[in-house]
Amino acid sequence: MKLIIDETRCKGCNLCTLVCPYSIFQEGTTPNRRGVVVPVLDRPERCTNCRLQKLYGRVLCGVCQMICPDQAIRWVDEKPYEPQKVVIEY
Amino acid sequence: MSGNPGSFQDWFRQDRLPHIYCTGCGNGTVINCTLKAVDSMGWTPEDTVFISGIGCSSRAPGYIVTDSLHTTHGRAIPFATGVKLSRPDLHVVVFTGDGDLAAIGGNHFIHACRRNIDLTVVCMNNYIYGMTGGQGSPCTPLGSVSTTTPYGCSEPPFDLSELAVAAGANHVARWTSYHVRELTRAVQDGLETPGFSLIEAVVQCPTGYGRKNKLREAQAMVDWMRDHAVLIKKWRRMEEEGTPLPPDRFPVGEFVRRSRPAMGVPK
Ligand SMILES: Cc1ncc(C[n+]2csc(CCOP(=O)(O)OP(=O)(O)O)c2C)c(N)n1
Ligand code: SF4
Ligand code: SF4
Ligand code: SF4
């Protein structure tokens, strides 16, 4: 699974940067065409949900999606599936 | 509809998004949590109705695929009572704001608690009248600045959750838009409990409240809520021990769950 921010919905409030345990969401620096500074994703493949959603058949963690007031965060299928080497920090 | 990951997103009217709320407004988070709870109940859009009054918070049902009623200011609960008593088989959820629920709708609120009508009321308490430009509400904290309290609010606020407990509601809980998991669980508890349920969700209104109270950024207000919320068990223990309760803190958690006789429960 791949984590994405829907740029047509994100209003740049940065609440997602506050809650991710892996700090995957980082405050952005450049405004997009709509003038919104959308957060940037730092190595999103580290997200628990990206790695394990398929295995467990449900959303894991998911707090970024829940807190996003603008329904801008979701996961999409990656095709073809590419195994990723992931280093997890504790 | 239930069960598939992220399926609460299917309850949104995708063609109506993005919604009109300001950047960082907490209302959107509360809608997420409520829809996730409704979805985990296994309910369908055909048997669920959302009802609201007037205010930013009350615009929520307009973004949801179910049938809904967007009624007059303060009157969401009377309309919801009508729906519930004529069609007890429907699941009725009310979205409201602190102004809608506790100011103009105050009497409807306490009497619905007393009658213990089988509704789940989700109140987005942003301490202010958001939609009309940030006037003080009955929930504006002492000392807070609003357009109608420019020198700081000098009236003590209502505690919505304590009010609902005193008036007789079967289930009452308070969380904030920071506590997304706990809030979702509390809404689900409310949906499961027969009788009246109030879930008070403290939310940030960066535009009306934050801007005037040194919490301009949505993040600042969310940080404030995280740092000032005290679990109710700890709060009650402090009360018992006679420890002075810090005036800028507030308790969160489940205030009550009981089974007083209720109205409108399907047989
Ligand atoms: C009978 C009536 N009186 C006053 C108003 C103006 N009015 C619209 S919204 C509102 C207050 C909304 O505050 P709240 O319920 O806290 O919702 P919020 O916008 O903060 O989410 C008021 C007074 C109205 N629409 N109808
Ligand atoms: S689901 Fe959790 S770990 Fe994954 S990006 Fe969101 S907050 Fe971070
Ligand atoms: S929480 Fe949502 S709207 Fe806010 S910055 Fe993150 S993705 Fe954008
Ligand atoms: S005025 Fe306040 S409550 Fe209304 S949409 Fe803006 S931030 Fe939200």
Side-chain angles (χ1 to χ4, degrees), chain B residues 69 78-90 92 117 264:
Chain B
L69 289 170
F79 280 90
T81 304
V83 172
K84 191 69 199 176
L85 293 187
S86 58
R87 287 285 304 277
D89 57 307
L90 293 176
V92 184
I117 300 158

Side-chain angles (χ1 to χ4, degrees), chain B residues 24-254:
Chain B
C25 172
N27 292 355
T29 305
V30 178
I31 304 176
N32 289 345
C33 296
T34 305
L35 291 182
K36 181 139 184 162
V38 167
D39 192 57
S40 357
M41 294 295 286
W43 296 351
T44 64
E46 289 71 34
D47 59 19
T48 312
V49 184
F50 290 90
I51 298 180
S52 65
I54 298 291
C56 297
S57 37
S58 294
R59 293 189 67 100
Y63 299 107
I64 303 175
V65 292
T66 68
D67 283 340
S68 59
L69 289 170
H70 187 195
T71 72
T72 49
H73 194 28
R75 270 66 189 183
I77 288 179
F79 280 90
T81 304
V83 172
K84 191 69 199 176
L85 293 187
S86 58
R87 287 285 304 277
D89 57 307
L90 293 176
H91 307 296
V92 184
V93 181
V94 173
F95 280 117
T96 182
D98 48 311
D100 197 60
L101 185 73
I104 191 166
N107 258 297
H108 300 302
F109 170 44
I110 54 175
H111 289 285
C113 294
R114 172 181 65 82
R115 295 179 178 133
N116 216 1
I117 300 158
D118 189 23
L119 304 173
T120 301
V121 175
V122 178
C123 178
M124 306 175 196
N125 181 1
N126 55 14
Y127 299 151
I128 209 118
Y129 290 174
M131 177 168 268
T132 45
Q135 296 84 355
S137 86
C139 297
T140 306
L142 269 174
S144 285
V145 177
S146 70
T147 52
T148 48
T149 58
Y151 306 111
C153 184
S154 56
E155 304 169 6
F158 263 149
D159 183 321
L160 294 180
S161 293
E162 295 289 10
L163 186 60
V165 173
N170 258 357
H171 171 257
V172 179
R174 178 197 288 136
W175 289 101
T176 78
S177 50
Y178 171 74
H179 301 91
V180 285
R181 283 160 178 270
E182 295 85 349
L183 181 59
T184 306
R185 185 63 237 172
V187 176
Q188 199 180 331
D189 291 341
L191 301 172
E192 284 166 357
T193 311
F196 193 93
S197 171
L198 172 75
I199 292 90
E200 179 186 350
V202 181
V203 292
Q204 69 278 15
C205 167
T207 309
Y209 186 80
R211 210 157 41 92
K212 290 198 153 47
N213 292 282
K214 302 195 181 83
L215 299 163
R216 180 178 288 270
E217 301 287 328
Q219 291 179 74
M221 179 90 185
V222 172
D223 280 339
W224 182 89
M225 293 190 294
R226 180 192 59 205
D227 299 340
H228 289 76
V230 179
L231 290 175
I232 183 124
K233 275 198 186 128
K234 182 173 177 199
W235 187 268
R236 296 227 165 108
R237 199 169 58 233
M238 286 162 74
E239 263 175 341
E240 273 163 27
E241 289 167 353
T243 321
L245 302 167
D248 59 343
R249 306 259 169 147
F250 59 95
V252 293
E254 186 175 279

Side-chain angles (χ1 to χ4, degrees), chain A residues 7-9 12-13 19 26 36-37 42-43 46 60 68:
Chain A
E7 292 223 7
T8 65
R9 289 195 183 165
C13 66
V19 294
Q26 299 282 338
V36 173
V37 183
D42 174 22
R43 291 162 292 154
R46 294 176 302 148
L60 288 121
C68 174

